């Protein structure tokens, strides 16, 4: 993931983001997330979001990891299909790690989904994990579930 070319700058190690947005593009990119992103920029808040040019791979790219680590606040936007994306779950795992190691502030948003569905992995989240368990190792899936449980328990 790379930061948008406009006011967000780039995700280089010299950048410092105030906010990192984690979201499932097909659910919220062109509506809620876009409005939130522009409102943050208009308020002068240096915000990271991907620019739809994500190169698919198994691991989070270094720029994405740097953006998460350098952000003071992370905002995961949980939506119906968030848990179906390994990218979203990997981002959330890194966000959860930063929350616990550096005290990063995490402000979850529950977009047309109940917090309990995220926290308890029910509904579409349960279905996503049924698929993930056939494709990914036990440890990875458990890390994703733990991150969802913990971050899903935060007041949104």
């Amino acid at each position: 993931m790379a930061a948008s070319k406009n006011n967000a700058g780039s995700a280089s190690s010299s950048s410092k983001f105030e906010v990192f947005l984690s979201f499932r593009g097909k659910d919220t990119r062109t509506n809620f997330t876009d409005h939130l992103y522009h409102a943050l920029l208009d308020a002068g808040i240096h915000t990271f979001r991907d620019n739809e040019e994500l190169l698919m791979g198994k691991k989070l790219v270094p720029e994405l990891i740097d953006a998460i680590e350098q952000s003071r606040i992370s905002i995961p936007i949980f939506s119906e299909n968030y848990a179906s994306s390994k990218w979203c779950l990997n981002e959330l795992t890194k966000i959860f790690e930063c929350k616990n190691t550096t005290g990063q502030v995490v402000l979850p948003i529950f977009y047309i989904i109940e917090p309990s569905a995220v926290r308890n992995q029910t509904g579409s989240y349960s279905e996503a994990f049924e698929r993930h368990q056939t494709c990914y190792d036990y440890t990875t899936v458990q890390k994703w579930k733990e991150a969802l449980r913990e971050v899903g328990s935060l007041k949104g």
Side-chain angles (χ1 to χ4, degrees):
M1 267 184 179
S4 292
K5 300 275 187 253
N6 57 20
N7 297 342
S10 70
S12 70
S13 58
S14 62
S15 293
K16 174 91 174 158
F17 295 97
E18 293 172 279
V19 174
F20 179 89
L21 298 177
S22 176
F23 60 96
R24 181 69 167 134
K26 75 179 198 175
D27 288 352
T28 69
R29 178 181 304 284
T30 61
N31 50 45
F32 181 83
T33 299
D34 192 53
H35 295 297
L36 176 60
Y37 175 72
H38 288 288
L40 291 167
L41 289 181
D42 290 347
I45 299 170
H46 195 131
T47 302
F48 180 96
R49 77 163 180 187
D50 72 49
N51 68 354
E52 301 184 36
E53 296 176 8
L54 180 62
L55 299 174
M56 296 310 244
K58 286 191 157 203
K59 303 277 184 192
L60 293 179
V61 293
E63 294 84 8
L64 183 59
I65 292 170
D66 287 346
I68 294 169
E69 289 176 344
Q70 295 170 14
S71 295
R72 294 183 348 183
I73 299 168
S74 283
I75 302 177
I77 303 168
F78 295 114
S79 59
E80 185 75 19
N81 295 298
Y82 187 94
S84 67
S85 167
K86 71 177 181 180
W87 282 96
C88 290
L89 295 171
N90 284 334
E91 287 175 4
L92 187 67
T93 301
K94 185 63 180 175
I95 289 166
F96 176 62
E97 177 186 309
C98 289
K99 176 189 175 298
N100 290 333
T101 59
T102 66
Q104 184 179 89
V105 175
V106 180
L107 302 171
I109 293 175
F110 301 94
Y111 180 79
I112 312 176
I113 192 152
E114 290 297 318
S116 63
V118 174
R119 186 173 48 252
N120 301 321
Q121 291 107 54
T122 60
S124 64
Y125 282 56
S126 174
E127 294 166 12
F129 275 100
E130 286 176 23
R131 289 187 300 276
H132 291 322
Q133 290 172 335
T134 64
C135 301
Y136 301 100
D137 65 88
Y138 177 82
T139 303
T140 298
V141 171
Q142 291 309 306
K143 284 182 183 179
W144 290 343
K145 285 184 170 189
E146 179 184 8
L148 281 169
R149 242 185 329 273
E150 292 297 321
V151 177
S153 295
L154 297 174
K155 191 153 185 111

